[in-house]
Amino acid sequence: EGEEGDPQDNGSRRQHHQQSPPPLPPTATGLTEQQQQQEQDERDPCRSEGELFFSLDINHLVDRALSEPVYIRNLPWRILVMLRDSSSADKTKSIGVYVQCSPESPESPRGWSVSGRATITAHHCIDPKKSFSRDVSHWFCAKENDWGYSNFLAWKDLVDPEKGFTKDGIIMLSAYVTADAPHGINWDSRRYTGYVGLKNQGATCYMNSLLQTLYCTNKLRKAVYQMPTENDDSSKSVALALQRIFNELQHNEKAVGTKKLTKAFGWDTMDIFMQHDVQELCRVLLDNMDSKMKGTVVEGTIPRLFEGKMESYVRCTNVDYESTRVETFFDLQLNIKGKKDVYESFKDYVSVELLEGDNKYDAGNHGLQEAKKGVIFLSFPPILHLQLMRFQYDPLTESNIKINDRYEFPEKLRLDDYLKEPEPTPAHYTLHAVLVHSGDNYGGHYVAYLNPKGTGNWLKFDDDVVSTCSKKDATENNFGGNDDTISIRNCTNAYMLVYIRDSCIGDVLVKVTDEDISESLTRRFAEEKRVELAKRKERSEAHLYLTVSVYTEDDFSQHQGIDLVDFDNVKRNFQVLKSYSLCQFHQFLAHEMGYPPSHIRIWPFERRKNNTTRPSYLEDRDKATSTTVYQFAMLDLRQGPWKIFVEMLPPDSDLEELPHYDFTSMALLFYKYYDPARSSMLYAGHSVESLDIRISDLYKRIREFACLNHSVPLRVYEEVKPTMLDPVNPSLTLTQLSEVRDGDIFCFQRTDLPLMKYELPSPVEYFRDIYYRIEVTFYDKSLHGHDSGVTATLNQKMNYHQMAQIVAQHLNTSPYLLQFFRPQLPHHRNFSDQPIRCSNEGNLRDFLYYRHHIDGPLVLYYQRLSIPIEEFEKKKLFKCLFVSQKLREEKEFTVYVDKNGTVKDLLLEACKEIPFSEKSSRQLRLLEVMTHRIVDIHSPERPVNELFPQKSYRIEEVRQDELHLKPNEALIPVAHFSKNPCNLFGVPFLLRIADGEHLSSVKSRIQTLLDVPEKDFDKWKFAIVQTIQPTVHLNEENDEQLFLHQFLLKTAQFPRLGSPWLGLDHFNKNPKRIRYMPERAIKIHN
């Protein structure tokens, strides 16, 4: 016989176009309601299951045959039968039977897929019990659109009358198909179910499942709509984001995105691509909503819906004493290990624990007493959240594992037996939601099965796809345990259950209408949608437009540097159709700026060969109606938006239009006035002049621009390029000046001032200072990239001390208490250990451009010092961790030691940082610890130059009994491990032992030192661990002796690098959970 999963060869498949389901005859009168419902289901092409029948005449079977299609999930399903010859020597014939799903049509996408399960049956003609059936399960897709068995039934059995599979050569085949909703195809969730799904951002299926559950909790949804959010920031308000999600789920026709919600949570990319626990998110989200509802009309909604009460008690059995405490809960965590169903978990939850023997209860004046400890429920909430504890810690693997055992949960739940006293209404519940997890501890997929109206009509919410499903799919199929047809553990099972109290179901599932959404909220969402559609349209049509940056004289007046404007800081952009002619563009710009077309003139900025950018004449104005604006701007667009200067007729002008301009005999000139007293360069104005005018004739206009007396003497310079300002001879004409062009700039200053008393007496010095001026951002090295930085304007020729002085003023500290560092690479915010010495004779340019020429953001790093930099540079820095006599990591600090000092000097400096107790020995030692094991003890006489500052060292107190070792004693290293010496953990320590000391004595002192309870310490094992030999535990029954030579020690010696060590083998009570990605707790930051 064939095997499941033997797909028909792709090369011989026939592809069929998708067809509409054939019409069925109307329902006959006299049918029962159940029969009418069944016939209605058969008419529904979107149903989740259905049966295919195929009556086949085998005498006419040549190669293959296909049944008529039956529509399930709006896809055509068929039975495919093929005549097969066995590849074996006997050439045994058989028929292959497959289930085929083939929705291909010219309009169908190639990426479709659907999960389907089917039972294929060859019916017995006389006795149905003798029918032959086989099961298949498959993800059907375009490449594998059929699945079944190539040797379903042997031909000899098929034609044998005694087998009873054929009658008159006719065989009846059927396939009962159950399918999930398809993916990658046009599945209309709203049309088929009345609900829409949520898009998955990466690993947010757990969040989508919870949001759909909360959305279908109608009472909560109505309360969310009533939260006041009129003044909330749309990018940070969680309440507004939830209102938006719920509103879109209520009204959208397609799946809803959740990016705005996660942005409101304050989540980053790592949060979005890290799968979290759905119950943890539920708790955090409900807490956040509860806090946001306080002080509003819906205050207290969360407790009223989800809060229950329980009483914890301890009741003494021999005396009249009882201690009780009432606690509230919003969800219950049920232990499922070894439990059959929810009822057994509740019995376990309220089970009584006996406190007796060593575990007696301290009853105050009654002393230690035998007692009973437990909890009992006082009240259950209207909505009961049950988390099934499928993830538990496994001490054998030292990691969390998922428990996939079968665990049943009823559709109707009765909890009266677990109440201390009966409530006014019975604690009877109806199952509302089942949140299902598929996968293991390291990841998987969440879906939600919801009974949204409490009527038993279940829906499956799988991210963006919502589909109908049977009650069995929602409940029994998610109990877990072994698969019915496959002998493997099923990893798909329920993880969280939501029940609604029967007495409250009408209130909790109250109908939500558009009237429950305020008009202001509706208007706000409508406006957001309008803006989004406009932006989407703008993006889709962006290729039709070019960006034009417009600059006016108002922008020039704010500029203090080279040229006329800083293009990076001043932007007024317009989106202009590329197809506009220059004339149309001129009219468009005039309209946008509120001027008549005759009152403005366009001057494109031109990049000159001397690295200046100036307004220039727009050539080919005669082609203004025939040439597009894109053709004019094409060359400049390589430098970003097309930049233009718009000359405008002043509002107070008497002219009707801008004066005529003749580019052959005129030039557009700009003027700047330099004030040495303020070291400022001010924009004065512009004019269009004849090329025959003398420079001296411009003085009158220049004085008017600067509001100077007509007799004030002036000196004029031409701003040629950033590092060149040429004095201008006033007797020359513009024509006599070399290469006068449109956009040339003349700078002028008064000469009747005592210029030499100013720091920058002329425009020449001013522009030189501007040229070397840079902005440098300084980041605190100790904050590891989490510092916003301090930006200072500096001169590249500054020396170290000038730079330090300015930075210290920004940081409000002394320049002598700062140390500066170069970055590792240009443009990277990665600090390095390359300090800039305070005695460096270079300038700021040398510090920044140490090995690279940098054109991007300029960055240096600093760290604050506690001692002056001159003294600090003579010392060596060590990071140390202080461990007290109780073996607790108390304090982390930095020690500065003279480079020529010793370990003893380091320990003396450390004494200043350590708070010694009264009984302290005040003696310290320096240890080197690596992966929870002591690898070296540094002698006090060791020079610190032999130590590495990059390492972290441990400083600890020498215990009193270790101050004076006897001739037969030494210190041995001790470390904790679990099962394998490679699995080290905890704080290692040194222990004094005598040569030949018995293990029982050593154990007693270790127990006292570590303060370990007797019942725990009895489980510990001991071993002498050596690197090159297998670990063998010490024989505690014989009370072995420990000798110093076993640790490669002589008497009164310290252990050396690589020495054997005493291992304490016991269970690690604080293990780190192993995950593929670093674990982060769920936080909602807003």
Side-chain angles (χ1 to χ4, degrees):
E1 293 183 354
E3 297 293 331
E4 179 193 348
D6 180 16
Q8 171 61 24
D9 178 55
N10 288 337
S12 61
R13 284 200 189 103
R14 288 166 50 194
Q15 307 295 335
H16 293 263
H17 294 311
Q18 184 171 347
Q19 304 175 13
S20 299
L24 295 176
T27 305
T29 58
L31 294 178
T32 65
E33 184 177 345
Q34 183 177 0
Q35 290 173 327
Q36 291 180 9
Q37 182 63 42
Q38 182 178 355
E39 186 166 326
Q40 184 178 353
D41 290 343
E42 291 177 355
R43 288 172 174 272
D44 180 12
C46 303
R47 55 187 165 147
S48 62
E49 54 191 5
E51 193 163 13
L52 290 65
F53 292 99
F54 192 13
S55 179
L56 178 65
D57 186 349
I58 62 173
N59 296 320
H60 295 87
L61 179 63
V62 179
D63 181 22
R64 63 175 65 199
L66 271 172
S67 70
E68 289 298 316
V70 172
Y71 280 78
I72 302 168
R73 296 300 191 193
N74 210 30
L75 296 173
W77 297 77
R78 298 176 175 88
I79 296 175
L80 169 65
V81 180
M82 299 188 67
L83 187 62
R84 306 290 296 231
D85 287 328
S86 175
S87 58
S88 60
D90 60 1
K91 300 293 183 180
T92 303
K93 289 175 61 176
S94 65
I95 61 168
V97 183
Y98 307 87
V99 173
Q100 184 188 78
C101 179
S102 180
E104 284 86 355
S105 69
E107 296 79 21
S108 297
R110 298 292 297 174
W112 69 271
S113 64
V114 59
S115 174
R117 299 159 297 283
T119 299
I120 305 174
T121 303
H123 292 271
H124 195 276
C125 297
I126 301 172
D127 186 359
K129 294 181 180 180
K130 295 182 179 180
S131 298
F132 177 71
S133 299
R134 302 190 74 173
D135 295 327
V136 295
S137 179
H138 183 57
W139 269 99
F140 294 86
C141 59
K143 291 184 178 180
E144 293 182 347
N145 66 352
D146 56 55
W147 203 258
Y149 298 91
S150 58
N151 296 289
F152 181 78
L153 200 60
W155 186 263
K156 62 180 181 179
D157 294 334
L158 187 63
V159 298
D160 187 352
E162 295 183 1
K163 297 292 184 178
F165 289 112
T166 58
K167 183 178 181 181
D168 299 329
I170 304 297
I171 183 173
M172 176 61 71
L173 299 171
S174 70
Y176 193 88
V177 177
T178 302
D180 294 336
H183 289 261
I185 204 167
N186 189 21
W187 175 261
D188 192 339
S189 297
R190 175 71 74 187
R191 175 186 172 189
Y192 302 144
T193 67
Y195 295 83
V196 295
L198 292 167
K199 298 176 183 178
N200 193 329
Q201 294 188 51
T204 56
C205 53
Y206 70 99
M207 181 183 72
N208 291 349
S209 300
L210 177 64
L211 290 175
Q212 294 283 17
T213 304
L214 298 180
Y215 170 78
C216 291
T217 308
N218 296 353
K219 185 79 170 181
L220 176 64
R221 194 194 333 165
K222 293 185 75 167
V224 169
Y225 283 147
Q226 296 178 54
M227 296 173 67
T229 55
E230 292 83 358
N231 301 318
D232 285 11
D233 184 343
S234 60
S235 64
K236 295 182 179 180
S237 173
V238 176
L240 180 62
L242 277 174
Q243 290 174 337
R244 184 186 296 108
I245 287 280
F246 287 173
N247 178 71
E248 292 179 352
L249 286 174
Q250 190 167 326
H251 295 100
N252 279 22
E253 295 299 321
K254 295 183 178 180
V256 175
T258 57
K259 289 184 178 179
K260 291 182 179 179
L261 178 64
T262 53
K263 183 179 180 181
F265 286 169
W267 288 4
D268 56 19
T269 305
M270 180 174 287
D271 290 304
I272 291 170
F273 283 92
M274 180 183 293
Q275 192 172 92
H276 289 286
D277 182 86
V278 68
Q279 187 269 344
E280 183 184 0
L281 175 63
C282 180
R283 178 76 269 118
V284 173
L285 182 57
L286 290 180
D287 284 345
N288 184 276
M289 293 169 61
D290 187 36
S291 64
K292 299 291 174 58
M293 288 180 176
K294 289 181 179 177
T296 70
V297 294
V298 289
E299 180 176 0
T301 297
I302 301 297
R304 284 195 295 270
L305 290 177
F306 300 96
E307 184 180 271
K309 292 182 179 180
M310 67 174 73
E311 180 182 270
S312 301
Y313 64 86
V314 179
R315 189 177 301 119
C316 295
T317 57
N318 299 322
V319 296
D320 185 16
Y321 184 87
E322 182 179 6
S323 173
T324 62
R325 184 177 72 253
V326 175
E327 301 174 355
T328 60
F329 65 88
F330 284 81
D331 54 50
L332 294 174
Q333 297 186 0
L334 299 184
N335 182 24
I336 68 167
K337 185 67 174 176
K339 305 293 183 291
K340 176 187 175 183
D341 55 21
V342 171
Y343 289 110
E344 286 195 7
S345 294
F346 267 95
K347 290 177 183 177
D348 178 67
Y349 204 100
V350 299
S351 62
V352 177
E353 178 186 358
L354 296 179
L355 304 179
E356 55 188 2
D358 294 336
N359 197 29
K360 287 183 178 180
Y361 177 65
D362 185 357
N365 296 333
H366 297 284
L368 296 177
Q369 294 288 332
E370 292 184 355
K372 294 180 179 180
K373 178 183 178 182
V375 297
I376 190 71
F377 292 98
L378 302 178
S379 64
F380 287 110
I383 303 173
L384 181 62
H385 282 188
L386 302 179
Q387 185 206 0
L388 310 184
M389 297 173 62
R390 290 200 175 270
F391 296 97
Q392 295 185 12
Y393 180 74
D394 180 21
L396 295 177
T397 61
E398 296 187 354
S399 64
N400 276 5
I401 61 171
K402 184 182 178 186
I403 299 172
N404 291 307
D405 298 349
R406 180 178 177 85
Y407 182 83
E408 300 176 6
F409 47 89
E411 187 178 11
K412 296 290 185 178
L413 182 66
R414 288 171 168 77
L415 300 176
D416 299 280
D417 294 342
Y418 310 103
L419 285 166
K420 184 177 182 180
E421 296 179 358
E423 292 189 81
T425 59
H428 295 177
Y429 285 84
T430 296
L431 186 61
H432 180 243
V434 182
L435 276 65
V436 175
H437 179 264
S438 300
D440 56 20
N441 178 55
Y442 302 111
H445 183 61
Y446 281 94
V447 298
Y449 292 88
L450 284 163
N451 175 15
K453 297 181 180 179
T455 57
N457 295 322
W458 288 87
L459 299 176
K460 180 181 179 182
F461 292 78
D462 185 359
D463 286 336
D464 56 332
V465 173
V466 185
S467 58
T468 58
C469 67
S470 66
K471 184 173 73 172
K472 181 179 179 181
D473 287 335
T475 55
E476 293 179 35
N477 289 353
N478 296 311
F479 286 167
N482 290 331
D483 193 283
D484 293 335
T485 57
I486 306 173
S487 59
I488 60 172
R489 183 71 67 179
N490 190 347
C491 64
T492 299
N493 36 56
Y495 179 63
M496 182 174 169
L497 307 174
V498 179
Y499 283 91
I500 299 180
R501 197 164 185 145
D502 290 347
S503 59
C504 304
I505 200 165
D507 182 52
V508 171
L509 300 182
V510 61
K511 187 176 181 180
V512 182
T513 64
D514 290 346
E515 284 70 25
D516 295 307
I517 309 174
S518 66
E519 292 184 7
S520 61
L521 203 58
T522 302
R523 287 195 301 269
R524 182 170 187 168
F525 292 148
E527 177 61 19
E528 286 182 357
K529 191 170 184 178
R530 186 194 66 78
V531 172
E532 287 179 3
L533 290 174
K535 288 182 178 179
R536 194 177 304 164
K537 181 181 178 182
E538 183 180 334
R539 287 193 296 268
S540 65
E541 297 178 351
H543 64 286
L544 302 176
Y545 292 82
L546 63 86
T547 303
V548 180
S549 295
V550 175
Y551 302 88
T552 65
E553 284 194 294
D554 290 339
D555 303 317
F556 299 167
S557 63
Q558 306 297 322
H559 185 59
Q560 290 279 322
I562 300 164
D563 286 337
L564 293 169
V565 68
D566 184 348
F567 294 113
D568 294 329
N569 294 334
V570 180
K571 288 183 180 179
R572 186 186 297 103
N573 291 340
F574 294 96
Q575 298 298 316
V576 181
L577 278 170
K578 293 179 180 179
S579 58
Y580 272 179
S581 66
L582 185 62
C583 182
Q584 289 174 315
F585 171 58
H586 188 274
Q587 293 176 350
F588 165 81
L589 202 59
H591 177 267
E592 291 294 321
M593 300 186 71
Y595 279 79
S598 60
H599 285 200
I600 68 171
R601 185 179 290 135
I602 299 172
W603 301 84
F605 279 96
E606 176 189 25
R607 183 74 172 177
R608 298 183 178 180
K609 293 181 180 179
N610 60 4
N611 291 327
T612 60
T613 304
R614 308 287 175 80
S616 63
Y617 176 69
L618 186 59
E619 299 178 4
D620 297 327
R621 292 180 187 266
D622 295 336
K623 301 179 182 179
T625 57
S626 60
T627 307
T628 65
V629 66
Y630 179 70
Q631 291 173 307
F632 280 110
M634 194 160 42
L635 293 177
D636 294 329
L637 290 177
R638 292 176 297 180
Q639 307 296 328
W642 191 34
K643 304 175 184 65
I644 62 172
F645 162 59
V646 177
E647 179 188 6
M648 297 182 292
L649 186 69
D652 57 352
S653 174
D654 297 332
L655 300 176
E656 295 295 329
E657 60 182 17
L658 283 172
H660 172 71
Y661 175 80
D662 181 3
F663 75 96
T664 61
S665 61
M666 294 181 177
L668 173 68
L669 305 179
F670 295 90
Y671 308 99
K672 294 180 181 179
Y673 171 58
Y674 178 63
D675 183 358
R678 298 181 181 178
S679 294
S680 63
M681 182 71 73
L682 305 176
Y683 175 77
H686 80 282
S687 66
V688 175
E689 303 292 347
S690 169
L691 295 178
D692 297 329
I693 193 172
R694 294 182 182 276
I695 300 299
S696 58
D697 295 336
L698 296 175
Y699 280 16
K700 179 180 179 181
R701 190 183 303 277
I702 290 173
R703 292 188 181 101
E704 291 176 355
F705 282 145
C707 299
L708 300 176
N709 189 283
H710 68 277
S711 61
V712 172
L714 300 177
R715 181 177 297 147
V716 179
Y717 302 82
E718 183 184 0
E719 185 182 321
V720 180
K721 58 182 181 179
T723 56
M724 181 184 295
L725 263 75
D726 291 341
V728 177
N729 185 344
S731 62
L732 298 178
T733 64
L734 292 179
T735 307
Q736 293 171 325
L737 293 177
S738 60
E739 298 184 7
V740 171
R741 300 167 60 184
D742 290 321
D744 280 357
I745 302 173
F746 291 98
C747 303
F748 61 94
Q749 71 173 137
R750 300 175 59 165
T751 58
D752 59 344
L753 301 176
L755 299 180
M756 299 314 296
K757 77 172 187 177
Y758 301 117
E759 181 181 0
L760 304 173
S762 74
V764 177
E765 288 79 15
Y766 174 80
F767 276 113
R768 187 180 295 120
D769 180 72
I770 287 287
Y771 182 74
Y772 289 110
R773 193 181 299 171
I774 55 175
E775 285 191 347
V776 183
T777 303
F778 295 83
Y779 295 100
D780 191 336
K781 176 183 174 182
S782 64
L783 298 181
H784 303 287
H786 298 289
D787 179 25
S788 58
V790 171
T791 302
T793 301
L794 307 175
N795 192 297
Q796 296 180 42
K797 294 190 174 183
M798 282 182 172
N799 60 30
Y800 177 93
H801 296 285
Q802 291 172 322
M803 175 190 72
Q805 188 71 40
I806 293 177
V807 177
Q809 291 175 0
H810 282 80
L811 298 175
N812 195 25
T813 187
S814 168
Y816 303 106
L817 296 179
L818 293 174
Q819 184 184 29
F820 296 94
F821 299 82
R822 296 183 178 91
Q824 286 181 339
L825 294 171
H827 313 304
H828 283 253
R829 289 186 54 181
N830 297 324
F831 67 84
S832 71
D833 288 323
Q834 296 181 354
I836 304 171
R837 298 185 64 83
C838 66
S839 57
N840 193 313
E841 295 182 357
N843 55 34
L844 179 59
R845 182 184 178 89
D846 300 324
F847 307 154
L848 291 166
Y849 305 168
Y850 177 61
R851 289 181 181 172
H852 308 273
H853 181 75
I854 303 178
D855 297 322
L858 304 176
V859 172
L860 288 176
Y861 287 85
Y862 71 90
Q863 70 175 1
R864 297 176 185 266
L865 304 176
S866 58
I867 58 176
I869 181 66
E870 295 88 348
E871 181 182 347
F872 175 82
E873 289 183 348
K874 297 176 183 178
K875 294 182 178 293
K876 206 167 184 179
L877 177 149
F878 295 94
K879 294 180 179 179
C880 300
L881 179 67
F882 172 63
V883 175
S884 67
Q885 291 188 1
K886 295 182 179 180
L887 298 180
R888 294 176 182 170
E889 297 178 350
E890 301 282 356
K891 183 179 181 182
E892 190 173 4
F893 55 89
T894 301
V895 178
Y896 301 99
V897 187
D898 191 280
K899 293 179 179 179
N900 298 320
T902 63
V903 171
K904 181 179 180 180
D905 298 323
L906 188 153
L907 295 175
L908 288 174
E909 288 294 326
C911 287
K912 301 175 183 178
E913 302 287 339
I914 296 173
F916 292 106
S917 62
E918 293 182 1
K919 297 181 180 180
S920 171
S921 65
R922 295 188 174 272
Q923 297 294 316
L924 301 176
R925 58 183 167 224
L926 185 69
L927 308 179
E928 190 172 326
V929 178
M930 188 179 299
T931 60
H932 303 283
R933 185 167 68 88
I934 297 172
V935 296
D936 207 351
I937 304 176
H938 297 294
S939 168
E941 288 74 31
R942 185 172 186 177
V944 293
N945 274 332
E946 297 180 6
L947 304 180
F948 294 95
Q950 292 84 359
K951 293 184 177 181
S952 182
Y953 293 92
R954 171 171 143 185
I955 294 176
E956 67 177 22
E957 288 188 61
V958 179
R959 291 183 286 276
Q960 294 286 354
D961 63 339
E962 299 170 355
L963 289 175
H964 306 288
L965 296 178
K966 297 179 181 179
N968 66 331
E969 294 179 337
L971 296 177
I972 64 169
V974 185
H976 305 263
F977 71 92
S978 179
K979 298 181 182 179
N980 190 317
C982 296
N983 298 330
L984 292 158
F985 64 93
V987 180
F989 58 95
L990 295 173
L991 183 71
R992 173 186 57 84
I993 70 166
D995 194 32
E997 185 174 357
H998 287 276
L999 178 59
S1000 58
S1001 174
V1002 175
K1003 286 176 55 179
S1004 177
R1005 288 191 289 110
I1006 291 176
Q1007 183 181 2
T1008 303
L1009 177 64
L1010 301 181
D1011 193 22
V1012 182
E1014 187 72 32
K1015 63 179 181 179
D1016 292 335
F1017 195 72
D1018 287 342
K1019 301 175 184 178
W1020 289 24
K1021 298 178 181 179
F1022 299 81
I1024 297 176
V1025 183
Q1026 302 184 52
T1027 307
I1028 59 176
Q1029 295 184 8
T1031 301
V1032 179
H1033 289 95
L1034 297 174
N1035 192 331
E1036 300 182 47
E1037 293 182 0
N1038 297 336
D1039 196 15
E1040 286 191 43
Q1041 288 181 286
L1042 300 181
F1043 296 96
L1044 299 183
H1045 69 80
Q1046 293 174 288
F1047 300 92
L1048 303 183
L1049 293 173
K1050 297 180 180 178
T1051 57
Q1053 269 194 342
F1054 291 105
R1056 289 173 291 180
L1057 187 64
S1059 298
W1061 45 280
L1062 180 62
L1064 310 180
D1065 183 3
H1066 61 97
F1067 176 64
N1068 181 9
K1069 292 186 176 181
N1070 299 302
K1072 293 183 178 179
R1073 182 177 174 186
I1074 303 173
R1075 290 186 64 127
Y1076 290 125
M1077 296 180 66
E1079 186 174 6
R1080 288 170 29 162
I1082 296 180
K1083 291 183 180 179
I1084 296 178
H1085 301 280
N1086 296 320

